[in-house]
Amino acid sequence: MEITELIKKMIRYYDGRLQDIHHTMAVYSFAITIARGEKADRKTMEIIEASSILHDIACPMCRKKYGDVDGKHQEAESPELVREFLKDTEYTDDFIERMVFLTGHHHTVTGIDSLDWQILIEADYLVNAYEMNLGIDNIKSAYEKVFRTATGKAMLKDIYKF
């Protein structure tokens, strides 16, 4: 599936929830920028593109089921939603399972062992920091403890001027 088609499918899935659509597109933009800055290979780039589009697939369900979009709720609910969402696509089983893993861990900042996971974490944080109006102490802490890519670190510093 072309990334454009995946984006359009996700927009339809969000059913007019503009905040979800804008958040997803912002994470996608930051993820691509970080991946290019880190010179990700083609396979990693494809994983980053798709996972950044799919990362919040559980948000609509979590709002209904839990009344919130808590990260742990999203991680718990994402796997089956991703499998269902991608079942009739030409994506390989391995690729789908990577999407399952990444969406199921996109709020877990410990144990990160791959570039695709690191970039997804960083891109989502860049957007969440703004949307959640996180304070500079939180942002500096994330810079020190979570961010690992040179591109992501530079972007965080440039955006928040520290």
Side-chain angles (χ1 to χ4, degrees):
M1 173 177 276
E2 288 285 325
I3 194 64
T4 305
E5 292 305 312
L6 184 64
I7 291 168
K8 289 173 11 184
K9 185 174 180 175
M10 199 69 206
I11 288 171
R12 286 189 301 274
Y13 175 84
Y14 281 138
D15 194 31
R17 288 180 289 275
L18 297 178
Q19 183 177 355
D20 289 344
I21 294 165
H22 282 260
H23 174 86
T24 295
M25 295 310 297
V27 171
Y28 172 74
S29 177
F30 279 127
I32 299 248
T33 303
I34 296 168
R36 286 182 180 157
E38 298 301 307
K39 298 181 178 19
D41 62 42
R42 187 178 63 79
K43 180 181 177 188
T44 303
M45 183 64 81
E46 290 172 359
I47 291 168
I48 290 165
E49 286 180 328
S51 65
S52 65
I53 294 302
L54 295 169
H55 80 282
D56 275 350
I57 194 167
C59 283
M61 174 201 255
C62 288
R63 282 188 198 98
K64 289 179 185 170
K65 186 172 181 177
Y66 304 104
D68 63 43
V69 291
D70 178 79
K72 292 303 169 195
H73 292 153
Q74 289 181 52
E75 288 182 340
E77 300 293 346
S78 290
E80 290 311 310
L81 293 171
V82 168
R83 285 187 187 101
E84 180 65 25
F85 192 80
L86 297 178
K87 75 176 180 182
D88 294 326
T89 67
E90 69 275 2
Y91 288 124
T92 65
D93 290 344
D94 287 345
F95 187 89
I96 291 170
E97 288 308 306
R98 190 64 186 158
M99 294 305 104
V100 166
F101 176 84
L102 290 171
T103 59
H105 291 83
H106 79 279
H107 285 284
T108 302
V109 297
T110 57
I112 298 171
D113 61 0
S114 61
L115 184 61
D116 54 7
W117 188 6
Q118 183 65 44
I119 289 173
L120 183 59
I121 291 285
E122 291 180 13
D124 196 30
Y125 182 87
L126 283 165
V127 178
N128 285 335
Y130 169 73
E131 290 178 351
M132 298 169 70
N133 198 28
L134 298 178
I136 195 68
D137 289 340
N138 182 296
I139 292 164
K140 286 180 177 179
S141 178
Y143 178 88
E144 293 296 327
K145 296 177 181 174
V146 177
F147 278 63
R148 296 287 172 258
T149 70
T151 307
K153 288 181 121 180
M155 290 173 72
L156 193 64
K157 282 188 97 169
D158 287 344
I159 291 167
Y160 292 99
K161 304 293 183 198
F162 65 93

